[in-house]
Amino acid sequence: MTATTQYATFETEYRVRPDDIDMYRHVHNSKYFDYVLAARYDQMERCYGMSMEKFLADGYGWLVRSVFVDYKRPLILGDYFVVTTGIESIDDKICRVKFNIKNKVTNKICCDGWFDFVMITLADGKASKISEEVIEHYTSFKKA
């Protein structure tokens, strides 16, 4: 994967809901994964113009291969927060998406990290090469 290209980032805003809270009265660590995946789903259609439904209709999907999350400070019930994501690198095997989640009021990062996604063929569930068309589409969203 090449990390020299600077890709655009996009934002999605959410609010912490009661069912996100754990017994320690802050957002459970697993919910941060949900927030990033929901933001990517939103941004694929709204920002990239290439929805998950398009991939599914074409017989493909994106599968999480690996994840790194660095938790810095908690979100609590009612907090508004912004999930910022962007491609860090993409090639025919892996798309690395970096992210951060920031408390909207304090403007402090609650966590950051990355997800490595692989493309799969839905018919057999096996890894598939990411097509040049997809790479070129995502590559067209470079940082200005």
Side-chain angles (χ1 to χ4, degrees):
M1 291 191 307
T2 332
T4 55
T5 305
Q6 292 288 318
Y7 297 99
T9 58
F10 301 103
E11 297 181 344
T12 303
E13 184 178 321
Y14 296 108
R15 186 174 188 196
V16 175
R17 300 167 13 139
D19 55 321
D20 297 341
I21 303 300
D22 65 14
M23 66 183 165
Y24 304 112
R25 293 186 268 161
H26 57 66
V27 171
H28 189 269
N29 66 306
S30 66
K31 287 294 182 176
Y32 292 91
F33 287 55
D34 293 341
Y35 296 157
V36 173
L37 294 174
R40 286 305 292 172
Y41 179 80
D42 163 57
Q43 294 164 10
M44 285 175 73
E45 181 174 13
R46 182 174 53 86
C47 304
Y48 290 104
M50 189 177 268
S51 70
M52 180 59 97
E53 288 82 3
K54 163 120 174 59
F55 285 102
L56 296 173
D58 291 343
Y60 297 100
W62 291 99
L63 186 71
V64 174
R65 177 178 173 218
S66 51
V67 180
F68 172 79
V69 181
D70 186 11
Y71 298 99
K72 300 174 184 311
R73 56 190 51 85
L75 286 167
I76 60 172
L77 182 63
D79 280 348
Y80 286 92
F81 60 94
V82 176
V83 180
T84 303
T85 77
I87 292 174
E88 182 173 84
S89 58
I90 187 169
D91 62 27
D92 65 343
K93 294 182 171 105
I94 296 174
C95 179
R96 176 164 285 183
V97 175
K98 62 182 177 177
F99 73 89
N100 72 56
I101 297 177
K102 190 183 291 187
N103 184 306
K104 191 169 178 187
V105 173
T106 66
N107 207 33
K108 292 188 176 182
I109 292 179
C110 299
C111 72
D112 58 14
W114 49 261
F115 279 71
D116 280 349
F117 292 94
V118 294
M119 183 167 281
I120 62 164
T121 305
L122 296 178
D124 61 12
K126 293 184 180 184
S128 175
K129 283 192 171 190
I130 300 170
S131 73
E132 273 302 314
E133 176 187 53
V134 170
I135 293 171
E136 286 176 24
H137 182 81
Y138 284 128
T139 304
S140 69
F141 293 90
K142 293 180 184 165
K143 235 179 199 176

